[in-house]
Amino acid sequence: MPDIDFFFSAAGPLAGAVPGYSVRSQQLEMAQAIAETIIANSVLVAEAGTGTGKTFAYLVPALLAGGKVIISTGTKTLQDQLFNRDIPTVRTALKAPATVALLKGRANYVCHYHLERTVQDGRPNLASREEVKYLKLIERYANVSKSGDKSGLSEVPENAGVWQHVTSTRDNCLGSECPHYKNCFVMEARKQALSADVVVVNHHLFFADVMLRDEGLAELLPACNTVVFDEAHQLPETASLFFGESVSTSQLLELARDAEVEALRGAKDFTPLPQAIMEMEKAARDFRLTVEGENSRMPLAAIMKNAKFGVGLDELLKKLGALVELLESQAERSEGLENCWQRAREIAASMKRWRDQAETEGFVRWVEVFSQALQLNATPLSIAEIFNKQLSASPRAWIFTSATLSVKGDFSHYNSEMGLSIDPNAARSACWDSPFDFPNQALLYVPACLPEPNNLKYTEEVVKAALPVLKASGGRAFFLCTSLRAMQRVHELLLEAFKREQLDYPVLLQGQGSRSHMLERFRKMGNAVLIGSQSFWEGVDVRGAALSVVIIDKLPFAPPDDPVLAARIDKINKEGRNAFMEYQLPRAVINLKQGAGRLIRDETDRGVLMICDSRLVTKPYGRKIWQSLPPMKRTRELVEVEEFFARIDEFV
């Protein structure tokens, strides 16, 4: 076993390579536990509080152990940080000769075929002059870039509409039939990943590949000695997404767009095809309109009461079936037409499966509607057994780490969800607290006299209670809401209150720009209040005085009418267990810990965590929740909050 103690010591290589490095016992212990796990090819579930330094704690033993390592992260941003900053730092410090590759989903790489087609045929399809300008930049970039990764072209926004015209999807990739196959950026990224010692992926890519065998990991996993999941609290949600099946009207609209272009290029003389494409596209748009509203989820039982839905689905399948037949008759004329035929067949098969299968054992069927699309979903009630098969497929080390995996040090909820407790000897769990001095650095404030969260005036009362805290802190706050509706209402109320009280704090609202752009503005302003929902609860790091208060409107229990959650609750209760204590409460605790974790990011940070939900104090389960948070001093008195800020010189 490598001398882990030496590498993390004050005289070790990390101390020499990392500015401001300090020895942390928690980091060393975690690294030792990971080294043991790698040697034993076993499973470790490791919770590491903020400031532990968990990234170095897994990178050092992973690089020292040799062999092939896959590191899977929660976001592409964290992927880039690991690849561009953290791994090079550790590799240089250890003088480790490991080769490293970054692998993302195919939608992150420019596709030569679709770029060429868009340049030749597609300018009329672009929404604006700006998109045409972006297309020229992408064309130039594709000629000089080695990776083709769209993150390397910062002049074109990541969410620009032009990207969908110049990247491929699993559906429309021509694979080895593509005329540009030899120069394909996706294939090059996969080739590099195959030969590298360390491969950095993200959770979506990992599970897409495990289920679809599509993203290049199918060949990587068998040769891999160690898998590390960072931000592992996100895995149950991501795995559920991929272990189920989804099909959307947006896939059909993309198919119609691609088929139209391919028909013009390869089957101009076959006049029935454009008509069939148009009829299928109209049926897909009509099907979306059978369900009113947007951004909502409905279980199968509720949607089946809507007669228009069934009629719309049948009509869509009829038009799609007709299109499949016509595409088949023309498929030999070009790779593009062949691809459209295969896609149309697969989508039709998925939609028929969703319509015709009685409630499949262990799955829940449900519908989600967006502003422009309708999606049919079949989601497993449990991913435990499916994921456990991955664990036991061949001997390797599996490491799951995050700042939020346990409830008061108890990992049973997470282990059960991920199938880690099926074999009692399979997983070891360990918890390392943050090295920060929370009793002195932070204060937990639960205001007295707030109504129950189901009160119609609840959000108004929350903003009233938050106002004096924001005055005491001089702004510098995250206001985290559990729903988009509450977020919008808080925004309205705060703007009114600041105007009325003549408070000159800038107010930022999630959605006014990309997350990274908004965080940059927040840091620069120094006294802003940023109001956000799910996007700002995790993966956000603001150090220093710019963030001195985190306000959470209510405990983040998932809405019980969510079809997947409702079905899982029903299943647990039918088995004679307590779904609230076993499932809903642990999930809420883990989410709350993520939100609370935005406050103290550094040993010099100071701040107040304000949780506006009185259930934290009034309900028997409240104790379990606050005991899962870092050990802050607690109060219900506003005057203590004001004194806390007054005591700290920097905040006067």
Side-chain angles (χ1 to χ4, degrees):
M1 183 170 162
D3 187 358
I4 297 292
D5 293 42
F6 166 68
F7 286 101
F8 285 94
S9 70
L14 283 178
V18 181
Y21 178 81
S22 59
V23 176
R24 283 165 277 189
S25 59
Q26 296 93 332
Q27 187 180 47
L28 173 60
E29 286 171 22
M30 184 178 173
Q32 287 166 332
I34 289 169
E36 289 162 12
T37 304
I38 292 171
I39 288 166
N41 275 339
S42 55
V43 180
L44 175 68
V45 182
E47 181 175 272
T50 311
T52 304
K54 63 182 167 66
T55 308
F56 284 9
Y58 65 69
L59 283 179
V60 170
L63 288 175
L64 289 174
K68 196 169 190 82
V69 181
I70 293 177
I71 300 172
S72 181
T73 71
T75 61
K76 284 181 285 187
T77 308
L78 190 52
Q79 247 189 301
D80 289 333
Q81 182 186 307
L82 272 165
F83 181 73
N84 295 317
R85 194 185 78 191
D86 298 335
I87 295 175
T89 300
V90 173
R91 191 173 56 176
T92 304
L94 303 186
K95 296 184 172 60
T99 53
V100 187
L102 181 68
L103 186 61
K104 297 179 181 178
R106 65 170 76 246
N108 292 279
Y109 301 95
V110 177
C111 167
H112 291 297
Y113 175 77
H114 287 97
L115 173 61
E116 182 182 78
R117 198 181 70 175
T118 305
V119 169
Q120 288 172 1
D121 314 325
R123 285 204 170 109
N125 293 327
L126 299 178
S128 64
R129 281 184 185 171
E130 197 170 35
E131 298 275 290
V132 174
K133 183 187 86 178
Y134 290 156
L135 181 62
K136 285 178 182 168
L137 288 170
I138 293 167
E139 192 179 8
R140 203 176 308 147
Y141 175 67
N143 288 327
V144 297
S145 171
K146 285 184 180 175
S147 70
D149 184 341
K150 69 182 192 182
S151 70
L153 184 59
S154 55
E155 297 96 317
V156 181
E158 197 175 328
N159 59 355
V162 69
W163 284 119
Q164 66 181 8
H165 296 281
V166 299
T167 54
S168 71
T169 64
R170 178 172 173 262
D171 289 338
N172 68 19
C173 173
L174 300 182
S176 56
E177 301 297 313
C178 179
H180 298 277
Y181 185 71
K182 284 184 179 172
N183 303 318
C184 174
F185 289 126
V186 173
M187 295 314 298
E188 181 56 32
R190 291 180 179 182
K191 204 191 302 176
Q192 288 184 16
L194 273 172
S195 62
D197 302 310
V198 180
V199 186
V200 185
V201 301
N202 60 60
H203 302 336
H204 276 78
L205 179 65
F206 186 92
F207 285 105
D209 189 76
V210 163
M211 293 314 290
L212 306 172
R213 291 285 179 262
D214 176 57
E215 297 289 356
L217 284 170
E219 298 165 85
L220 283 177
L221 264 176
C224 165
N225 305 83
T226 304
V227 178
V228 179
F229 289 112
D230 199 344
E231 300 296 315
H233 63 279
Q234 296 176 4
L235 292 181
E237 205 64 44
T238 310
S240 291
L241 199 67
F242 288 102
F243 290 168
E245 187 174 24
S246 294
V247 60
S248 164
T249 56
S250 60
Q251 287 172 268
L252 289 168
L253 299 183
E254 279 173 25
L255 170 67
R257 187 189 73 205
D258 292 342
E260 196 179 350
V261 172
E262 296 298 347
L264 271 171
R265 296 179 81 184
K268 217 170 191 174
D269 56 343
F270 188 65
T271 51
L273 191 52
Q275 181 65 26
I277 293 167
M278 193 174 72
E279 287 180 10
M280 185 279 288
E281 184 178 2
K282 181 181 184 303
R285 293 189 190 281
D286 289 347
F287 181 48
R288 162 62 190 91
L289 296 174
T290 61
V291 183
E292 290 179 10
E294 58 183 73
N295 298 324
S296 61
R297 299 171 154 207
M298 282 151 283
L300 182 67
I303 202 74
M304 284 313 186
K305 290 174 186 169
N306 176 351
K308 288 186 206 165
F309 176 85
V311 172
L313 180 54
D314 289 344
E315 178 66 12
L316 175 55
L317 281 167
K318 184 176 145 192
K319 298 297 183 190
L320 183 55
L323 178 60
V324 168
E325 285 180 22
L326 292 175
L327 283 168
E328 184 178 14
S329 74
Q330 304 300 304
E332 287 182 0
R333 298 180 72 169
S334 76
E335 295 96 340
L337 284 166
E338 160 92 19
N339 173 266
C340 289
W341 169 50
Q342 296 290 2
R343 282 162 70 187
R345 279 178 59 207
E346 284 176 25
I347 294 170
S350 289
M351 294 186 103
K352 279 178 186 163
R353 264 196 306 277
W354 192 92
R355 180 192 67 178
D356 299 340
Q357 285 181 354
E359 195 64 55
T360 315
E361 183 68 29
F363 279 78
V364 55
R365 282 188 295 163
W366 54 287
V367 170
E368 186 163 19
V369 288
F370 307 94
S371 58
Q372 303 292 325
L374 184 152
Q375 186 165 296
L376 309 176
N377 304 286
T379 305
L381 289 173
S382 166
I383 61 158
E385 287 186 21
I386 313 171
F387 187 70
N388 186 260
K389 283 179 188 163
Q390 300 300 322
L391 286 179
S392 48
S394 60
R396 67 173 61 91
W398 295 83
I399 290 129
F400 301 79
T401 185
S402 166
T404 56
L405 295 172
S406 76
V407 177
K408 220 178 106 185
D410 178 3
F411 291 84
S412 54
H413 165 73
Y414 185 80
N415 289 347
S416 165
E417 258 199 305
M418 291 301 296
L420 306 178
S421 51
I422 291 174
D423 174 358
N425 302 314
R428 172 191 168 192
S429 302
C431 189
W432 288 277
D433 292 334
S434 167
F436 298 154
D437 181 9
F438 276 97
N440 288 310
Q441 286 182 248
L443 180 68
L444 171 59
Y445 172 48
V446 182
C449 308
L450 274 178
E452 287 286 307
N454 58 5
N455 188 294
L456 291 173
K457 294 282 183 189
Y458 182 72
T459 305
E460 283 80 348
E461 294 301 319
V462 162
V463 171
K464 265 189 216 168
L467 201 57
V469 175
L470 293 170
K471 282 183 188 174
S473 67
R476 300 182 301 177
F478 274 7
F479 208 129
L480 301 178
C481 302
T482 49
S483 72
L484 291 171
R485 187 183 296 163
M487 180 186 86
Q488 295 290 352
R489 186 70 182 126
V490 165
H491 182 239
E492 290 165 20
L493 292 164
L494 266 190
L495 286 177
E496 287 169 18
F498 285 0
K499 191 176 177 184
R500 190 175 59 246
E501 304 261 341
Q502 296 182 317
L503 296 170
D504 192 21
Y505 309 138
V507 178
L508 304 176
L509 178 68
Q510 177 183 313
Q512 289 174 340
S514 69
R515 187 168 79 160
S516 54
H517 174 65
M518 292 192 70
L519 286 171
E520 202 177 313
R521 287 178 65 202
F522 180 83
R523 288 186 187 102
K524 278 182 182 168
M525 286 170 170
N527 66 339
V529 177
L530 189 154
I531 306 160
S533 184
Q534 199 56 48
S535 290
F536 288 90
W537 279 70
E538 59 178 277
V540 172
D541 191 7
V542 179
R543 296 171 190 229
L547 179 58
S548 301
V549 179
V550 170
I551 301 167
I552 292 175
D553 70 335
K554 61 171 82 165
L555 297 175
F557 286 106
D561 57 351
D562 178 276
V564 178
L565 179 66
R568 286 177 176 165
I569 289 170
D570 191 47
K571 178 179 182 282
I572 293 168
N573 288 337
K574 276 180 179 166
E575 290 168 358
R577 291 147 57 205
N578 184 330
F580 180 78
M581 294 305 288
E582 281 186 39
Y583 190 75
Q584 290 164 279
L585 182 63
R587 279 198 147 199
V589 169
I590 286 168
N591 286 338
L592 184 68
K593 283 166 74 173
Q594 277 295 330
R598 298 316 97 214
L599 182 64
I600 303 296
R601 307 297 301 170
D602 190 287
E603 45 273 295
T604 59
D605 282 357
R606 300 283 184 277
V608 170
L609 172 64
M610 177 179 178
I611 301 176
C612 301
D613 196 325
S614 59
R615 291 175 294 182
L616 201 61
V617 178
T618 60
K619 298 290 183 189
Y621 58 77
R623 184 181 182 84
K624 201 168 190 175
I625 298 174
W626 61 253
Q627 285 183 339
S628 296
L629 295 172
M632 310 175 195
K633 189 184 172 195
R634 301 187 309 279
T635 185
R636 304 207 70 190
E637 302 298 328
L638 175 63
V639 67
E640 289 199 45
V641 174
E642 292 167 335
E643 285 170 359
F644 178 89
F645 284 117
R647 267 198 313 272
I648 299 161
D649 292 338
E650 300 98 308
F651 295 166
V652 172

